[in-house]
Amino acid sequence: MTQRPFNFSAGPAALPEEVLHQVAAEMLDWQGSGMSVMEMSHRGREFISIYEAAEADLRELLQVPSNFRILFMQGGGLAENAIVPLNLSRGGKVDVVVTGSWSKKSAAEARRYADVAIAADGASSRYCDIPAPGSWQLRPDAAYVHVCSNETIDGTEFHELPDLKSLGSEAPLVIDCSSHQLSRPIDWSRVGLAFGGAQKNVGPSGLTLVFVREDLLGQALPICPSAFNYQTVAEAQSMFNTPPTFGIYVAGLVFKWLKKFEYAGKQGLAAIEQRNIDKAALLYAALDGTDFYENRVAAHCRSRMNIPFYLRDESLNEAFLAGARERGLLQLKGHKSVGGMRASIYNAMPLEGVQALVTYLKDFEKRHG
Amino acid sequence: MTQRPFNFSAGPAALPEEVLHQVAAEMLDWQGSGMSVMEMSHRGREFISIYEAAEADLRELLQVPSNFRILFMQGGGLAENAIVPLNLSRGGKVDVVVTGSWSKKSAAEARRYADVAIAADGASSRYCDIPAPGSWQLRPDAAYVHVCSNETIDGTEFHELPDLKSLGSEAPLVIDCSSHQLSRPIDWSRVGLAFGGAQKNVGPSGLTLVFVREDLLGQALPICPSAFNYQTVAEAQSMFNTPPTFGIYVAGLVFKWLKKFEYAGKQGLAAIEQRNIDKAALLYAALDGTDFYENRVAAHCRSRMNIPFYLRDESLNEAFLAGARERGLLQLKGHKSVGGMRASIYNAMPLEGVQALVTYLKDFEKRHG
């Protein structure tokens, strides 16, 4: 089989090649059932077995405690920006830490349903730094505190989740972990709810994972649509409405791939985390080793997943992207709101992909520097 | 290639075999892009071309007028039960015609947002008949009138959409056409909004099609989540949030299959409609020709898509289903709320599938009658 190009898309994003092979092979007949997974009733025994395996594998991978429910929903992170306050705000106070584009959107949407205050805002650093938790203004009676634990556009990441209790808050922490979920463990002792769109590390777009602590169920506002009421969804095992069955199937294959994944003498989530650390270190070292390129994010909160960078001479941007495409390095253009370049190096990106990018960075600099 | 089983699932449901072959063949490399469709940025030129072709083909197939917007959304029919009143009710009055399980759910959900009245209710016929439009109690100031144009569980179908103007109402008609969309033309002159989950005639679950007349945009309640605000979605060409890209791709292939479809000297939607008429006639004739089986729906409103039926001796149900499975006739069990059997014979079901079912009906009766 010939080498596939390396796809640096921020999402929908690269998937493990062996998962795609299996999906193709099973397309007309899933394990002797005579049906494609797309053709199965979500209430039939075949799909139920797919669903149950996916849920169990995900719970095992992330060591999700038994007092958390895992929901397979629709609408992505942007829909969750409304669904979370509809379920958790009780119409009261919500504190949001603004660390970039995504948390800013979350705050704006929550204002439809709650009294929102910005506990901290990284604007003065142009979102190149995450305000220290000790500086956050947390209200004692907030229904929850929202953070985006990895900002896909700005390229920042919480490498340690805030311990709200130590900051004097009893509120549950809500994390939007869309763009780094399953790239590392989650410290569930610090989390009340986590959500993320699947289209980065998990599977196709149109599937959203929600992890919710059981004591937070049952508080939805009466205006919350039934299909987005966490308690309703939890009671129906994510089958109140027809779930995105094919997306759950692909996600389940990704979970199985992750469980078997080996790297540097490790296996599973620990192995993928180690590879993510190594990939990010390699790319940041290349960017930092020259003035030709620049990453502007503070070292302590640089994302392992989304690495925005700029050419000092931005008139070379088009040439850079065209040359990258010629070498099979795809979708490196930065988000339109910030410009420049962005390499998203999610779980499915092999080390070789980052090595090829680093080689290209050096070659391009040699020719144009 | 060996014969695949015939899959009578009510949804997710059978897809055209050649669509599945193409999806499998393109899984690792869509048309030389080096990417699976699942791996493409929704804002990249490759996916935009897929999206635009799907939208144009759908508009052509259903002859959607230029003053209607087509939205590709998430959440299925059950989410739309909330999304429609959030967008169209203006917090005022909504009239619902209850013809079975789905319209009953729509009425219940709309009560969260509006003053809902039941304009007519088929309960006295046990939902085996659709109340005549002339008998509907329509309020002159209703924001809209909701009907389910094909009841998937009860097996009834509107063969002519009601002309609300002739009934003295100026309100727009909203139709939930999930389980028969694309099986026949839609008389857009009688419709303000149509919605349907994809998982019957269109593609995988997790994709919802919404057709909305432009003058109905821009009226959403402030509590409507942005991701489900029709105007926001329309302005962003269905890309306010990341759309279910893979589902749109599969739907686009189904649209292309439909456009080329030939039957009885016709092509496209006219051809599939004719085959649907013939398939339904064949199955109803077989059920009506014996006392061994029974379909209870009034002849004038029998669904072409979902045909529930009962064995007079229900103690034979398990034997009937087991024998069907042996012959490759899958997912014939009726919905749990009504019991019995149900044959869903959507667009992708070939005539041969219905013929095989009719043969089995006769053989089973011979052995057990």
Side-chain angles (χ1 to χ4, degrees):
Chain A
M1 164 176 31
T2 59
Q3 171 76 59
R4 298 181 81 215
F6 295 114
N7 177 0
F8 295 90
S9 173
L15 289 166
E17 187 169 341
E18 60 190 86
V19 167
L20 294 175
H21 278 289
Q22 186 170 347
V23 171
E26 296 180 336
M27 184 54 66
L28 275 93
D29 183 8
W30 182 81
Q31 300 191 6
S33 67
M35 296 180 279
S36 172
V37 175
M38 284 193 269
E39 302 178 303
M40 290 175 186
S41 168
H42 54 301
R43 303 203 187 277
R45 65 191 160 78
E46 295 89 353
F47 183 73
I48 296 282
S49 75
I50 290 171
Y51 172 85
E52 288 178 348
E55 208 263 2
D57 286 339
L58 176 56
R59 190 175 285 277
E60 181 184 331
L61 272 168
L62 281 177
Q63 298 190 39
V64 182
S66 61
N67 66 327
F68 278 73
R69 299 296 297 264
I70 301 178
L71 313 180
F72 293 85
M73 298 183 67
Q74 297 181 52
L78 279 173
E80 288 299 325
N81 282 343
I83 295 169
V84 171
L86 279 163
N87 276 278
L88 300 192
S89 74
R90 287 168 277 148
K93 295 178 182 175
V94 170
D95 290 345
V96 180
V97 179
V98 175
T99 54
S101 303
W102 283 97
S103 43
K104 200 180 290 181
K105 285 187 189 185
S106 299
E109 187 74 3
R111 288 208 167 88
R112 296 186 187 281
Y113 313 103
D115 163 13
V116 173
I118 306 302
D121 192 322
S124 66
S125 75
R126 295 184 170 212
Y127 301 112
C128 289
D129 202 352
I130 292 178
S135 71
W136 299 357
Q137 303 293 312
L138 298 174
R139 294 179 291 184
D141 50 350
Y144 65 91
V145 177
H146 175 105
V147 308
C148 177
S149 48
N150 188 78
E151 287 275 4
T152 324
I153 293 174
D154 305 278
T156 59
E157 181 171 7
F158 279 86
H159 290 294
E160 187 183 1
L161 290 177
D163 177 4
L164 294 189
K165 278 211 180 65
S166 79
L167 301 171
S169 166
E170 295 295 324
L173 177 69
V174 170
I175 62 170
D176 172 0
C177 59
S178 292
S179 48
H180 73 157
Q181 64 181 337
L182 278 164
S183 73
R184 59 191 302 158
I186 291 178
D187 181 351
W188 294 106
S189 73
R190 297 188 172 182
V191 171
L193 182 142
F195 70 82
Q199 65 270 23
K200 284 88 160 71
N201 274 329
V202 175
S205 58
L207 170 65
T208 315
L209 303 184
V210 176
F211 306 83
V212 55
R213 219 173 56 205
E214 281 175 346
D215 62 285
L216 299 175
L217 296 172
Q219 305 175 7
L221 299 173
I223 55 168
C224 181
S226 305
F228 304 119
N229 181 314
Y230 292 139
Q231 185 166 39
T232 305
V233 177
E235 284 171 356
Q237 321 291 333
S238 298
M239 301 215 192
F240 173 76
N241 55 356
T242 310
T245 52
F246 189 76
I248 292 171
Y249 157 69
V250 176
L253 295 181
V254 170
F255 301 154
K256 289 204 186 299
W257 173 81
L258 271 175
K259 280 176 65 177
K260 294 184 313 200
F261 186 80
E262 293 182 359
Y263 179 82
K266 301 176 180 179
Q267 188 174 354
L269 198 67
I272 205 80
E273 181 182 30
Q274 187 59 56
R275 191 171 77 166
N276 288 330
I277 290 170
D278 292 353
K279 278 155 42 185
L282 184 63
L283 183 49
Y284 283 117
L287 295 169
D288 290 345
T290 167
D291 282 341
F292 192 80
Y293 304 105
E294 182 191 23
N295 169 280
R296 299 171 182 165
V297 177
H300 73 99
C301 60
R302 282 173 158 185
S303 171
R304 295 174 185 162
M305 297 282 106
N306 309 100
I307 304 184
F309 61 95
Y310 297 87
L311 280 65
R312 291 275 179 181
D313 178 358
E314 294 220 276
S315 71
L316 293 172
N317 282 358
E318 283 311 309
F320 180 88
L321 288 167
R325 274 194 301 270
E326 275 172 30
R327 292 201 185 192
L329 307 172
L330 305 183
Q331 309 207 58
L332 281 163
K333 192 172 180 176
H335 190 269
K336 60 180 191 265
S337 65
V338 293
M341 306 295 153
R342 174 173 49 174
S344 293
I345 52 174
Y346 297 119
N347 285 351
M349 174 64 65
L351 192 59
E352 293 72 26
V354 179
Q355 286 165 340
L357 174 58
V358 166
T359 301
Y360 176 62
L361 289 171
K362 291 182 176 159
D363 289 354
F364 187 83
E365 179 178 354
K366 245 179 243 162
R367 272 185 290 137
H368 297 277
Chain B
M1 160 176 33
T2 58
Q3 173 75 60
R4 299 180 81 216
F6 294 113
N7 175 0
F8 295 90
S9 173
L15 289 166
E17 187 170 343
E18 59 188 270
V19 167
L20 295 175
H21 278 289
Q22 186 170 348
V23 170
E26 296 180 336
M27 184 55 65
L28 276 94
D29 183 7
W30 181 81
Q31 301 192 4
S33 66
M35 297 180 280
S36 173
V37 174
M38 284 193 270
E39 302 179 302
M40 290 175 186
S41 167
H42 53 301
R43 303 201 186 279
R45 65 190 161 78
E46 294 90 352
F47 183 73
I48 296 281
S49 75
I50 290 171
Y51 171 85
E52 288 179 347
E55 208 262 4
D57 287 338
L58 176 57
R59 189 175 286 278
E60 182 185 331
L61 273 168
L62 280 178
Q63 297 191 40
V64 182
S66 60
N67 65 327
F68 277 73
R69 300 296 297 265
I70 301 178
L71 313 180
F72 293 84
M73 298 184 66
Q74 299 180 50
L78 279 173
E80 288 299 325
N81 283 345
I83 295 169
V84 170
L86 279 164
N87 277 276
L88 301 193
S89 75
R90 288 168 278 148
K93 296 179 181 173
V94 169
D95 290 345
V96 179
V97 179
V98 174
T99 54
S101 303
W102 284 96
S103 43
K104 200 180 289 182
K105 286 187 186 184
S106 300
E109 187 75 2
R111 287 208 168 86
R112 295 187 186 281
Y113 314 103
D115 163 13
V116 173
I118 306 303
D121 193 321
S124 66
S125 75
R126 295 182 171 217
Y127 301 111
C128 290
D129 201 353
I130 293 178
S135 72
W136 298 358
Q137 302 293 312
L138 299 174
R139 294 179 291 183
D141 51 348
Y144 65 89
V145 177
H146 175 105
V147 307
C148 177
S149 48
N150 188 78
E151 287 277 4
T152 324
I153 293 174
D154 305 277
T156 59
E157 181 171 7
F158 279 85
H159 290 293
E160 186 182 3
L161 290 176
D163 177 4
L164 294 188
K165 278 211 182 66
S166 79
L167 301 171
S169 166
E170 295 296 323
L173 178 69
V174 170
I175 62 170
D176 171 0
C177 59
S178 292
S179 48
H180 73 156
Q181 63 181 336
L182 278 165
S183 73
R184 58 190 303 159
I186 291 178
D187 181 351
W188 295 105
S189 73
R190 298 188 172 182
V191 171
L193 183 142
F195 70 82
Q199 65 270 24
K200 283 87 158 70
N201 274 329
V202 175
S205 59
L207 170 65
T208 315
L209 303 183
V210 177
F211 306 83
V212 55
R213 218 172 58 203
E214 281 175 347
D215 62 285
L216 299 176
L217 296 172
Q219 306 175 8
L221 299 174
I223 55 167
C224 181
S226 304
F228 303 120
N229 181 312
Y230 292 140
Q231 184 166 40
T232 306
V233 176
E235 283 171 355
Q237 320 291 332
S238 299
M239 301 213 192
F240 172 77
N241 55 354
T242 310
T245 52
F246 189 77
I248 292 171
Y249 156 68
V250 176
L253 295 181
V254 170
F255 302 155
K256 287 203 188 303
W257 174 80
L258 271 176
K259 279 176 67 176
K260 294 186 312 204
F261 185 81
E262 293 182 359
Y263 179 82
K266 301 175 179 180
Q267 187 174 355
L269 198 67
I272 205 80
E273 182 182 29
Q274 187 60 55
R275 192 173 77 166
N276 287 330
I277 289 170
D278 292 352
K279 278 155 45 185
L282 183 63
L283 183 49
Y284 282 117
L287 295 169
D288 291 346
T290 167
D291 282 341
F292 192 80
Y293 303 106
E294 180 191 25
N295 169 280
R296 298 172 184 166
V297 177
H300 73 99
C301 60
R302 281 172 159 186
S303 171
R304 294 174 186 164
M305 297 281 105
N306 309 101
I307 303 184
F309 61 95
Y310 297 87
L311 279 65
R312 292 274 179 181
D313 178 359
E314 294 219 275
S315 72
L316 293 171
N317 282 358
E318 284 311 309
F320 180 87
L321 289 167
R325 275 195 299 272
E326 275 172 29
R327 293 200 183 194
L329 306 173
L330 305 183
Q331 309 208 58
L332 280 163
K333 193 172 181 176
H335 190 270
K336 59 180 192 266
S337 65
V338 293
M341 307 295 152
R342 176 173 49 174
S344 293
I345 51 175
Y346 297 118
N347 285 351
M349 173 64 66
L351 192 59
E352 294 71 28
V354 179
Q355 286 165 339
L357 174 57
V358 166
T359 300
Y360 175 62
L361 289 171
K362 290 181 178 161
D363 289 354
F364 187 83
E365 179 179 352
K366 243 179 247 167
R367 270 184 292 135
H368 297 277

